[in-house]
Amino acid sequence: MNSIFSKITFVVLLALLVLASSNFKVLGILQDDAEPKNMQGMTERHNYWRAELGLPPLKWSNKLAKVAQNWANKLKEKGCELEHSTTKFGENIYWSKGKKRSPQEAVDAWASEKKDFNFEKLECNKEWYVCGHYIQLIWENTKMVGCGVAYCKDGSEVWVCNYEPAGNVVGQKPYKKK
């Protein structure tokens, strides 16, 4: 009798767990975060460059986007001069003036540093800063990205993306050769 009661209890608890998890999905609790309208295509463009190397895709993070947007707003308050934040996250910053840029154009600006990356040694051809943005894009262990943009009084704009886990770790290569 005890064993039948235990099996019934287990089945009922399992059914409740399945029902609860499906309700959480409906409520958006277990769903992946979604890019806001002004960032549409940002994750896809990051993943375009990662796919060239067979690297796993990134997912959008609202948490990282909030951090990035807060920093972009802070840079706007400081006159849109570029400066990295001091968070634990990886970070790419892009400044532009004269034309409103798309999320894809911001990512492509970072990816343009690919020309300075040595694919044999998996490092920059010169100093790290000539291709550090590109390295963050292709850092294999990075799983999440979130971005923000601020529009400045002088017509310029500042784009910030944060990455978790951070890339550009001293002493490590961006990915393992396949």
Side-chain angles (χ1 to χ4, degrees):
M1 185 73 157
N2 249 354
S3 122
I4 293 174
F5 180 73
S6 294
K7 288 179 182 177
I8 292 172
T9 302
F10 175 76
V11 170
V12 169
L13 288 174
L14 186 60
L16 287 173
L17 184 61
V18 169
L19 181 61
S21 69
S22 66
N23 284 337
F24 285 147
K25 283 194 176 189
V26 169
L27 295 173
I29 295 170
L30 296 179
Q31 291 180 325
D32 290 338
D33 292 341
E35 291 175 331
K37 187 173 181 165
N38 71 327
M39 291 292 151
Q40 290 294 302
M42 180 63 82
T43 309
E44 181 181 339
R45 197 61 180 168
H46 275 81
N47 290 334
Y48 168 84
W49 293 105
R50 294 172 68 83
E52 280 192 340
L53 301 170
L55 300 172
L58 299 178
K59 289 188 176 186
W60 182 262
S61 165
N62 288 339
K63 174 185 85 173
L64 293 175
K66 183 176 181 181
V67 173
Q69 187 60 59
N70 287 341
W71 187 244
N73 292 343
K74 188 70 143 178
L75 292 175
K76 178 181 176 179
E77 290 171 14
K78 294 179 172 189
C80 288
E81 291 187 28
L82 297 188
E83 174 186 340
H84 281 285
S85 68
T86 57
T87 70
K88 65 179 182 173
F89 307 117
E91 184 174 76
N92 278 346
I93 301 176
Y94 171 67
W95 179 91
S96 176
K97 186 174 180 179
K99 173 188 173 212
K100 188 175 179 182
R101 302 291 175 177
S102 69
Q104 295 86 348
E105 288 173 305
V107 176
D108 287 349
W110 297 320
S112 72
E113 296 176 359
K114 174 182 173 181
K115 68 187 180 316
D116 296 310
F117 184 73
N118 184 319
F119 288 91
E120 289 302 311
K121 295 181 179 179
L122 299 180
E123 60 189 35
C124 298
N125 286 320
K126 299 175 188 168
E127 298 297 323
W128 69 268
Y129 56 82
V130 300
C131 71
H133 297 103
Y134 177 68
I135 289 176
Q136 177 59 80
L137 286 178
I138 61 166
W139 197 266
E140 185 170 19
N141 292 336
T142 297
K143 308 292 182 221
M144 308 291 286
V145 62
C147 307
V149 62
Y151 299 97
C152 307
K153 292 177 186 175
D154 67 355
S156 64
E157 53 192 48
V158 177
W159 292 80
V160 178
C161 285
N162 287 128
Y163 303 86
E164 188 175 40
N168 287 319
V169 178
V170 176
Q172 294 182 19
K173 298 295 184 183
Y175 61 90
K176 292 180 182 73
K177 285 187 179 182
K178 300 190 182 358

